[in-house]
Amino acid sequence: MGVTNVTPDSFSDGGRHPDPSTALAHARRLIADGADILDVGGESTRPGAEPVPEAEEIARVIPLIRAIRAESAAPISIDTMKPAVARAAVAAGATMWNDVAALRYAPDALDTAAELGCDVVLMHMQGEPRTMQAEPRYEDVVEEVAAFLLDRAEAALAAGVRRERIWLDPGIGFGKHMIRHNLPLLARLDRLVGLGFPVLLGASRKSFIGAVDGGGRGPSERLGGSLAAALAGAAAGVAAVRVHDVRETVQALRVWAAIRAAAR
């Protein structure tokens, strides 16, 4: 899943694709580099991010979704918490709703997901983007995240979302301490895969990589750590990895898979 942000303030690539033409060019590159899904977002969910009005978010993402769909059949995911944005995106050609709030943002989110009939990603987040990194606490982060995701999956099923449409995401970096919480989740991704739903892993360029590596490296200097996390996810059986560096990740996964095949 290739990241395609049309935001001025995303943590890694905010402001790099300020209009539909540059964003479309970026989307084309991601597809050429091997992206299976394009994840389009119009509201930053970085720590401390301020909310974006619904109309503005729609105005950011819909022209890009329409432009991608006009020339490509590539699956498109809309990265949003808002049901109205998801509705507009699916009408424009999106096929997946990637929701960092796990269908909790609005009272009609669950019903909207069932009505749309698209794939839906339910992500774990402690708190909300503006405050989630203030003081995250867990007794057992792996089991608490697993319980939350299973509860949200059951809520989606009860609302009428088909089981085969539900994905889970542990929410690396969303209301988690860089070391104490993110690393145990990455180490026990098999626990989440074992819940029986496809798992999406989004660890690309996250701050925990800089914390492990040291030296205060910024997002663009975290490629090696991003690849390591993607390979850990693949080894655990995740269904997809959400990444900024598509070509490098595709190459790493292909070589990893070839080595595993040669060992059989």
Side-chain angles (χ1 to χ4, degrees):
M1 177 184 280
V3 177
T4 317
N5 286 323
V6 279
T7 56
D9 57 344
S10 289
F11 85 98
S12 177
D13 56 357
R16 293 187 61 187
H17 315 298
D19 58 68
S21 62
T22 57
L24 179 60
H26 178 64
R28 288 173 180 150
R29 284 194 299 273
L30 294 181
I31 293 171
D33 285 345
D36 299 296
I37 306 169
L38 298 177
D39 191 46
V40 175
E43 178 179 43
S44 174
T45 51
R46 63 175 174 77
E50 292 295 326
V52 173
E54 185 177 281
E56 182 176 349
E57 189 177 347
I58 289 173
R60 289 178 180 179
V61 300
I62 297 307
L64 176 59
I65 293 171
R66 286 176 176 159
I68 295 170
R69 185 53 68 237
E71 62 180 51
S72 173
I76 300 170
S77 167
I78 176 63
D79 182 355
T80 185
M81 298 182 286
K82 302 181 181 72
V85 178
R87 286 180 184 275
V90 170
T95 55
M96 175 182 277
W97 180 1
N98 183 11
D99 185 2
V100 301
L103 302 179
R104 296 176 299 156
Y105 178 80
D108 62 334
L110 285 164
D111 290 340
T112 299
E115 178 187 332
L116 292 175
C118 62
D119 284 9
V120 59
V121 181
L122 308 172
M123 196 197 80
H124 176 275
M125 174 172 56
Q126 190 177 92
E128 48 93 19
R130 281 180 295 180
T131 60
M132 62 186 179
Q133 291 304 109
E135 196 175 356
R137 294 185 180 184
Y138 302 87
E139 292 296 324
D140 184 329
V141 65
V142 175
E143 290 306 317
E144 288 175 50
V145 169
F148 170 89
L149 291 175
L150 187 57
D151 178 74
R152 295 312 298 161
E154 290 173 348
L157 288 168
V161 179
R162 299 208 308 267
R163 184 179 184 89
E164 64 270 20
R165 295 295 190 186
I166 297 173
W167 293 58
L168 307 178
D169 182 341
I172 299 298
F174 283 79
K176 281 96 176 172
H177 183 273
M178 286 188 284
I179 300 296
R180 294 196 306 271
H181 302 145
N182 290 312
L183 293 184
L185 281 169
L186 288 165
R188 290 298 319 281
L189 286 169
D190 60 318
R191 172 72 174 92
L192 304 182
V193 171
L195 295 176
F197 299 90
V199 172
L200 171 67
L201 175 64
S204 177
R205 300 185 181 181
K206 294 288 177 72
S207 296
F208 80 91
I209 298 170
V212 171
D213 188 35
R217 302 189 190 280
S220 64
E221 298 177 297
R222 298 171 185 164
L223 174 58
S226 299
L227 296 177
L231 293 175
V238 303
V241 288
R242 181 182 183 274
V243 302
H244 300 82
D245 304 290
V246 169
R247 179 69 192 115
E248 294 84 352
T249 308
V250 168
Q251 184 182 75
L253 290 170
R254 284 176 176 166
V255 172
W256 172 82
I259 293 169
R260 282 169 57 93
R264 295 194 182 105

